[in-house]
């Protein structure tokens, strides 16, 4: 049995979210560890953070926080800031950043998710991409997806060498649902003022004789 418990937070900032003693409706504390280990997603500029835990044999509970950014604040920016704020209070974590968006014509709904691990290093908090997944769902059947161009990886200071490192991979998926695993030898990249960790995917759409492109971004951390 799966029990769902939700809490809605309105117009918060990263600092506010963790400075209050927040709990779900059944008194589960919303701590830095909750935020770091939850599965994050963004839909229509609303952030959701969900974590499922076992409460007894064959019984599970899913706690979900919905975060509505203040007016003019990007959900992607707020989630990135909130995660980094929480991470400073934790030594290591793994998680994912999932984004769902429609193209400007609202003909296709696309999804992109970046999975990552984050550790504490001698240079500070560092992360690396472990895998990516994504795809699309056709809304307007007069439109087709004729191309997908995926890039994922990171650029910044290596936590192993202290030197600048660029490690990227690319792919051109041909199906409506896909996933790719990053090379295991990739370095952790320090989350300093000059870094970029995440993925992007350009979707090319076609209707009759017209084509257009739409790019999505799933950012773990950047600066």
């Amino acid at each position: 049995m799966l029990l769902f418990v939700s809490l809605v937070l309105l117009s918060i900032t990263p600092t506010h979210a963790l400075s209050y003693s927040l709990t779900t409706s059944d008194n589960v504390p919303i701590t830095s560890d909750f935020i770091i280990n939850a599965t994050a997603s963004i839909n229509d500029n609303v952030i959701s953070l969900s974590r499922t835990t076992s409460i007894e044999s064959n019984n599970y509970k899913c706690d979900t926080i919905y975060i509505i950014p203040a007016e003019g604040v990007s959900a992607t920016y707020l989630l990135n800031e909130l995660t980094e704020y929480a991470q400073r209070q934790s030594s290591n974590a793994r998680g994912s950043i999932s984004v769902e968006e429609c193209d400007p014509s609202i003909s296709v709904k696309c999804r992109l998710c970046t999975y990552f691990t984050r550790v504490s290093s001698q240079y500070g908090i560092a992360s690396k991409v472990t895998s990516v997944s994504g795809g699309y769902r056709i809304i307007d059947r007069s439109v087709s997806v004729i191309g997908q161009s995926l890039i994922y990886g990171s650029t910044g200071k290596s936590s192993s060498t202290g030197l600048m490192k660029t490690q990227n991979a690319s792919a051109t998926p041909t199906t409506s649902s896909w996933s790719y695993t990053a090379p295991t030898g990739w370095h952790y990249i320090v989350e300093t003022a000059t870094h970029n960790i995440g993925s992007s995917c350009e979707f090319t759409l076609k209707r009759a004789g017209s084509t257009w492109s739409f790019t999505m971004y799933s950012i773990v951390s950047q600066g």
Side-chain angles (χ1 to χ4, degrees):
M1 182 179 70
L2 185 62
L3 171 67
F4 289 90
V5 180
S6 299
L7 174 70
V8 177
L9 306 178
L10 299 177
S11 302
I12 68 169
T13 66
T15 303
H16 290 156
L18 294 179
S19 62
Y20 297 138
S21 297
L22 300 174
T23 63
T24 61
S25 56
D26 66 341
N27 297 318
V28 173
I30 300 171
T31 62
S32 296
D33 285 340
F34 181 98
I35 293 170
I36 291 169
N37 293 298
T39 298
S41 64
I42 298 174
N43 195 5
D44 295 329
N45 209 46
V46 175
I47 301 167
S48 67
L49 298 171
S50 300
R51 187 176 69 173
T52 301
T53 54
S54 175
I55 52 179
E56 57 184 70
S57 179
N58 297 322
N59 287 292
Y60 300 88
K61 181 183 61 163
C62 181
D63 296 293
T64 302
I65 311 169
Y66 295 97
I67 302 174
I68 303 174
E71 185 176 355
V73 177
S74 161
T76 301
Y77 168 80
L78 180 57
L79 178 58
N80 183 52
E81 292 295 303
L82 181 60
T83 302
E84 289 187 1
Y85 185 92
Q87 180 58 51
R88 289 196 290 269
Q89 303 181 38
S90 179
S91 59
N92 58 74
R94 63 180 63 241
S96 62
I97 302 295
S98 179
V99 181
E100 290 188 348
E101 294 180 16
C102 289
D103 75 290
S105 70
I106 317 180
S107 301
V108 178
K109 189 164 190 177
C110 303
R111 181 180 67 87
L112 179 62
C113 184
T114 305
Y115 298 87
F116 65 93
T117 55
R118 182 175 272 140
V119 299
S120 179
S121 75
Q122 61 179 323
Y123 299 104
I125 299 301
S127 300
K128 71 174 180 178
V129 174
T130 56
S131 62
V132 292
S133 66
Y136 62 87
R137 177 174 61 84
I138 301 292
I139 299 172
D140 181 349
R141 296 193 178 278
S142 69
V143 173
S144 59
V145 176
I146 60 173
Q148 301 174 82
S149 180
L150 170 69
I151 299 175
Y152 60 98
S154 54
T155 299
K157 180 190 291 186
S158 165
S159 67
S160 301
T161 66
L163 302 176
M164 291 298 293
K165 181 79 173 177
T166 296
Q167 46 195 16
N168 294 320
S170 61
T172 53
T174 57
T175 60
S176 61
S177 180
W178 41 261
S179 64
Y180 296 91
T181 301
T184 57
W186 273 4
H187 292 212
Y188 283 92
I189 297 299
V190 181
E191 298 181 7
T192 61
T194 52
H195 71 283
N196 197 345
I197 306 167
S199 63
S200 68
C201 189
E202 181 183 59
F203 297 85
T204 302
L205 284 58
K206 181 178 181 179
R207 177 191 286 119
S210 300
T211 62
W212 66 97
S213 295
F214 165 64
T215 303
M216 291 182 64
Y217 300 90
S218 171
I219 306 299
V220 173
S221 181
Q222 66 180 359

